[in-house]
């Protein structure tokens, strides 16, 4: 079993355990309130530990192969390209941030100026018609717009 | 039953339900044609748009968008050898072979007729089944609903795709996510960490978008410059019509495939992609002598079952509140957004709405097939759009969709947090539908468990229906674990 495949259930177990522990000790929830989280949390933690402890051995052939791990690395590289939209929108706001992000994303990915600007204009027109005109949703201005 | 049918017709005729359903069909066909975007992704992306709509409008929009995905996907499967949705994969074997023999239009005609008719017949079965099921499900009390919901989650976790233990972990995580925010019984806020946002718990929309849409967009973004998918294809109306007639000439194959679709759809956890392959296998067995691919039966069987399975999956979703497929799990989320809780009480109070959804499903299948026939050639060319261009477009859609659902930028941030969880789950083979189902059914399970324990103590397990459901639950659990043989470490059991 590779590291990521072990680390993931370990993190899940830690996440659930932390909340259960806080619920029992720091927040001292009533028995009625904490009962269900305990009922679902404890078996999940045990199953996670089973996965971590190597109950699932390499021999069953279900563990991710090195090629899968490479693919996961590429996936997360692409994921961070997408996550970049969050800080851009936080700074420029939702409408302007979308324009900046789309143009930069498409240009850095090797698309032509014509395609980058044309696609961005098309998307912004769609956003304007659907979200602003039809649904009348106020779009946040971002840090620069305040 | 006639009263319910008339009430259902009134619901559909009242307001712009037909228009929203038509928009849903167009979106579904488009997403069906675009490779890599399944019915699940379509539902996830469409879901934020139903906020503020009337229940009938919102649910029609979601159902129409989802049900038409497979009709669009069949065209690209046949003409380009690219399944628009995973459930169209079985159609490629014979459909693409027919296209290579110059009979693409013949195959497309058969696929559209099989899809449309399959959807209509199965929707009629659904409309007939709901009133019949009504008195049966009314015998269910709190203990039975609790056990039924638990059985549904366990079935999806262990019988669905992926490894059973990981499926159970995913379901457990979904249940745990559902406990954040106000406790339904005492009103005490749980695990909110002083954040007002968490007082109402984790929101469904960011969770759904993160788990189902973000991983697909990441895959699309990674595609880069693919080889040109466009191929020279020509279609003529005569061949399309001849293909449609081929379905009429094979009633036994058609009915058998539709029944397989409905049966697979009804069983929670079996997975929508199974039905077309089972129908295909059944068609092959019947005419075992025919050699190699390129037979029209190999197109009719999977496409008939493909659309039929959606009506089958709606039966347990509407009657019991237990989704028959992963997509129905998201549709169940749509019901909750609309303030409706499917299950025995739902059939009692909203039988007209349930019947209206069956009619919408039938109409969607018909309209989608009729729309695709003249547009096939043009629409198939959309499959040539590069993933690198689609990814930012879809990203903008989910960002604006997540924000517009609650007008809260925190939702946008959570889309990406759950997106990283979805990516890991996808790559490490954890069941994402099981997580969503656990999340949606968590509050129901907690409430009915509390009522059952308060009213009957642990004796609630000894009620006849409860006992039967408990046995079904244990059987599903043991069978799922044995079938995939992960606990026991021996591959022999799999055979």
């Amino acid at each position: 079993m590779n590291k990521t495949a072990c680390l993931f259930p370990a993190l899940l177990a830690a996440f659930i355990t932390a909340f259960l522990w806080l619920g029992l000790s720091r927040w001292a929830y009533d028995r009625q309130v904490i009962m269900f989280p305990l009922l679902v949390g404890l078996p999940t933690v045990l199953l996670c530990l089973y996965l971590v402890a190597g109950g699932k051995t390499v021999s069953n052939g279900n563990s991710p192969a090195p090629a899968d791990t490479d693919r996961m690395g590429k996936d997360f590289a692409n994921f961070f390209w997408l996550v970049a939209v969050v800080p851009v929108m936080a700074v420029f706001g939702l409408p302007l941030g979308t324009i900046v992000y789309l143009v930069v994303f498409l240009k850095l990915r090797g698309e032509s100026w014509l395609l980058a600007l044309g696609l961005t204009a098309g998307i912004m027109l769609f956003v304007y018609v659907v979200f602003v005109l039809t649904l009348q949703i106020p779009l946040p201005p971002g840090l620069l717009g305040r | 039953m006639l009263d319910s049918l008339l009430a259902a017709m009134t619901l559909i005729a009242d307001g712009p339900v037909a228009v929203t359903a038509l928009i849903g069909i167009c979106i579904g066909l488009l997403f069906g044609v675009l490779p890599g975007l399944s019915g699940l992704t379509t539902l996830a992306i469409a879901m934020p748009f139903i906020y503020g709509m009337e229940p009938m409008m919102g649910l029609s929009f979601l159902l129409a968008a989802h049900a038409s995905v497979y009709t669009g996907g069949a065209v690209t499967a046949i003409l380009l050898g690219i399944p628009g949705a995973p459930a169209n994969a079985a159609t490629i074997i014979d459909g693409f072979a027919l296209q290579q023999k110059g009979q693409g239009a013949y195959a497309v005609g058969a696929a559209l007729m099989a899809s449309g008719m399959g959807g209509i017949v199965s929707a009629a079965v659904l409309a007939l089944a709901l009133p019949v099921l009504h008195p049966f499900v009314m015998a269910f009390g709190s203990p039975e609903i609790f056990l039924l919901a638990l059985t549904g989650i366990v079935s999806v976790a262990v019988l669905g795709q992926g490894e059973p233990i990981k499926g159970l972990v995913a379901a457990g995580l979904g249940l745990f996510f559902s406990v954040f925010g106000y406790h339904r019984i005492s009103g005490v806020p749980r695990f909110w960490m002083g954040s007002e946002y968490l007082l109402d718990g984790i929101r469904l929309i960011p969770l759904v978008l993160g788990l189902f849409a973000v991983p697909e967009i990441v895959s699309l973004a990674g595609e880069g410059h693919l080889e040109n998918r466009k191929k020279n294809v020509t279609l003529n109306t005569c061949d399309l019509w001849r293909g449609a007639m081929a379905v009429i000439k094979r009633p036994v194959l058609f009915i058998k495939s539709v029944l397989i679709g409905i049966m697979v759809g009804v069983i929670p956890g079996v997975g929508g992609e199974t039905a077309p392959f089972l129908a295909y296998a059944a068609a092959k067995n019947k005419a075992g002598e025919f050699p190699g691919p390129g037979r029209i039966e190999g197109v009719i069987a999977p496409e008939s079952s493909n659309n039929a399975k959606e009506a089958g999956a709606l039966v347990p979703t509407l009657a019991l509140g237990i989704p028959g497929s992963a997509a129905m799990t998201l549709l169940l989320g749509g019901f909750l957004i609309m303030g409706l809780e499917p299950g025995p009480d739902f059939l009692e109070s909203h039988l007209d709405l349930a019947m209206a959804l069956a009619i919408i499903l039938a109409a969607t299948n018909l309209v989608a097939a009729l729309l695709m026939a003249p547009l096939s050639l043009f629409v198939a060319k959309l499959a040539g759009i590069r993933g690198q261009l689609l990814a930012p477009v879809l990203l903008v859609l989910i960002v604006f969709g997540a924000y517009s659902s609650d007008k809260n930028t925190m939702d946008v941030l959570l889309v990406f947090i759950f997106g990283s969880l979805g990516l890991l789950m996808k790559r490490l083979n954890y069941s994402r539908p099981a997580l969503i189902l656990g999340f949606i059914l968590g509050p129901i399970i907690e409430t009915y468990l509390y009522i059952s324990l308060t009213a009957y103590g642990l004796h609630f397990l000894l009620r006849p229906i409860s006992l039967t459901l408990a046995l079904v639950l244990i059987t599903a659990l043991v069978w799922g674990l044995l079938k995939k043989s992960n606990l026991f470490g021996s591959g022999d059991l799999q055979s």
Side-chain angles (χ1 to χ4, degrees):
Chain A
M1 205 174 194
N2 71 29
K3 274 183 191 171
T4 319
C6 267
L7 194 62
F8 184 62
L11 283 173
L12 293 182
F15 169 80
I16 295 172
T17 309
F19 274 99
L20 289 178
W21 182 77
L22 285 169
L24 285 166
S25 58
R26 188 170 166 193
W27 298 320
Y29 289 137
D30 183 67
R31 194 175 71 96
Q32 187 194 49
V33 176
I34 198 70
M35 184 182 78
F36 189 68
L38 280 173
L39 277 176
V40 297
L42 287 179
T44 310
V45 169
L46 287 176
L47 287 171
C48 287
L49 293 178
Y50 171 80
L51 289 174
V52 175
K56 287 190 51 55
T57 55
V58 178
S59 62
N60 69 16
N62 285 325
S63 303
D68 288 338
T69 318
D70 290 348
R71 211 168 151 193
M72 205 184 309
K74 282 178 188 163
D75 273 353
F76 271 92
N78 283 319
F79 177 67
F80 287 116
W81 270 100
L82 300 180
V83 173
V85 78
V86 176
V88 172
M89 284 179 174
V91 174
F92 293 97
L94 223 51
L96 189 61
T98 308
I99 296 171
V100 172
Y101 175 79
L102 284 174
V103 172
V104 172
F105 179 91
L106 290 167
K107 274 311 293 171
L108 289 179
R109 290 257 167 157
E111 302 296 345
S112 67
W113 276 108
L114 185 69
L115 188 66
L117 292 174
L119 191 62
T120 305
I123 293 172
M124 290 318 293
L125 183 68
F126 173 81
V127 164
Y128 181 73
V129 170
V130 173
F131 292 95
V132 180
L133 281 185
T134 312
L135 299 174
Q136 299 190 329
I137 291 164
L139 302 176
L143 295 174
L144 286 182
R146 283 182 194 155
Chain B
M1 186 183 157
L2 262 180
D3 291 345
S4 305
L5 206 60
L6 281 173
M9 297 295 277
T10 315
L11 267 179
I12 294 169
D14 183 32
V17 172
V19 178
T20 43
L22 192 63
I23 295 170
I25 291 171
C26 295
I27 291 171
L29 288 177
L30 180 67
F31 275 62
V33 165
L34 299 172
L37 299 173
S38 64
L40 272 175
T41 318
T42 312
L43 273 177
I45 292 175
M47 202 178 273
F49 294 92
I50 66 170
Y51 274 94
M53 288 188 190
E54 291 292 315
M56 189 61 222
M57 270 174 70
L59 293 173
S60 303
F61 175 66
L62 288 183
L63 191 59
H66 171 65
S68 47
V69 164
Y70 306 104
T71 309
V75 174
T76 52
I78 292 166
L79 296 183
L80 306 171
I82 304 163
N88 295 113
T91 310
I92 289 182
I93 307 166
D94 289 84
F96 191 53
L98 279 166
Q99 155 67 12
Q100 286 175 320
K101 286 181 189 173
Q103 298 187 58
Y106 177 54
V108 168
L112 293 180
M113 181 61 130
S115 292
M117 291 292 289
I120 292 169
V121 171
S122 61
V125 171
L126 169 68
L128 289 171
L130 288 176
V132 175
L133 279 173
H134 181 216
F136 171 72
V137 295
M138 286 315 290
F140 282 42
S142 299
E144 288 79 17
I145 295 172
F146 159 70
L147 281 163
L148 200 60
L150 202 58
T151 307
I153 292 179
V154 168
S155 303
V156 169
V158 300
L159 301 178
Q161 288 177 339
E163 298 167 44
I165 299 284
K166 290 181 176 179
L168 289 172
V169 167
L173 188 63
L175 285 166
F176 197 76
F177 279 164
S178 77
V179 303
F180 283 68
Y182 286 114
H183 180 217
R184 265 179 138 189
I185 297 152
S186 64
V188 173
R190 271 187 306 213
F191 305 141
W192 66 298
M193 299 180 289
S195 157
E196 275 186 36
Y197 177 87
L198 278 177
L199 276 177
D200 287 328
I202 292 170
R203 313 287 204 281
L204 180 65
I205 295 289
L207 187 61
V208 165
L209 288 174
L211 286 181
F212 292 98
V214 169
E216 307 314 321
I217 294 173
V218 167
S219 298
L220 284 173
E223 270 189 24
H225 292 265
L226 284 182
E227 61 179 278
N228 195 357
R229 291 192 189 118
K230 291 175 191 166
K231 293 172 181 145
N232 289 328
V233 285
T234 51
L235 296 177
N236 73 65
T237 316
C238 281
D239 284 344
L240 276 175
W241 184 249
R242 200 163 57 86
M245 285 298 108
V247 182
I248 309 290
K249 287 177 187 165
R250 290 164 179 81
V252 177
L253 174 70
F254 170 73
I255 295 291
K256 188 170 71 176
S257 307
V258 168
L259 287 178
I260 288 172
I262 294 173
M263 292 303 291
V264 171
V266 165
I267 305 166
V270 176
E273 285 74 32
T274 318
F277 283 101
L278 277 180
Y280 183 81
K284 282 276 185 188
N285 288 343
K286 184 77 180 171
E289 67 275 10
F290 63 70
R295 297 280 300 216
I296 200 67
E297 287 85 352
V299 174
I300 296 171
E303 284 307 317
S304 306
S305 68
N306 222 347
N307 288 35
K309 76 182 188 305
E310 297 310 319
L314 261 177
V315 174
T317 311
L318 294 175
L320 306 168
I322 307 299
S325 67
M328 288 301 140
T329 309
L330 296 193
L331 193 70
L332 194 63
F335 273 90
L336 297 183
I337 289 171
M338 299 276 105
L340 299 167
E341 204 170 277
D345 291 339
F346 177 79
L347 279 194
E348 175 73 13
S349 53
H350 292 101
L351 188 58
D352 53 346
L353 185 60
M355 298 286 270
L357 288 177
I359 296 170
I360 288 286
L361 187 62
T364 294
N365 284 299
L366 180 67
V367 173
L370 288 175
L371 273 178
M372 275 311 279
L375 293 177
S376 291
L377 194 58
F378 165 73
V379 171
K381 286 181 180 166
L382 289 176
I385 298 175
R386 278 178 285 122
Q388 189 169 290
L389 295 180
L390 274 178
V393 175
L394 295 172
L395 181 73
V396 170
L397 265 186
I398 66 162
V399 165
F400 278 83
Y403 176 76
S404 63
S405 63
D406 208 22
K407 297 177 188 63
N408 194 330
T409 46
M410 188 69 182
D411 284 338
V412 178
L413 190 63
L414 279 173
V415 165
F416 291 99
I417 291 172
F418 290 129
S420 61
L421 178 68
L423 258 182
L424 280 168
M425 289 182 77
K426 186 183 173 188
R427 284 283 166 246
L428 298 174
N429 211 13
Y430 285 77
S431 167
R432 290 172 289 163
L435 191 154
I436 285 289
L437 189 57
F439 180 75
I440 289 173
L441 293 183
I444 296 169
I445 289 180
E446 181 174 15
T447 306
Y448 285 112
L449 173 65
Y450 174 78
I451 297 170
S452 304
L453 284 174
T454 309
Y456 308 100
L458 278 174
H459 292 290
F460 79 82
L461 286 168
L462 300 175
R463 287 158 59 102
I465 302 178
S466 298
L467 202 57
T468 313
L469 285 169
L471 286 173
V472 172
L473 170 69
I474 293 166
T475 309
L477 189 61
V478 173
W479 188 64
L481 291 172
L482 279 175
K483 195 181 75 149
K484 305 218 174 164
S485 69
N486 284 329
L487 259 186
F488 305 94
S490 163
D492 297 341
L493 284 163
Q494 267 182 325
S495 60

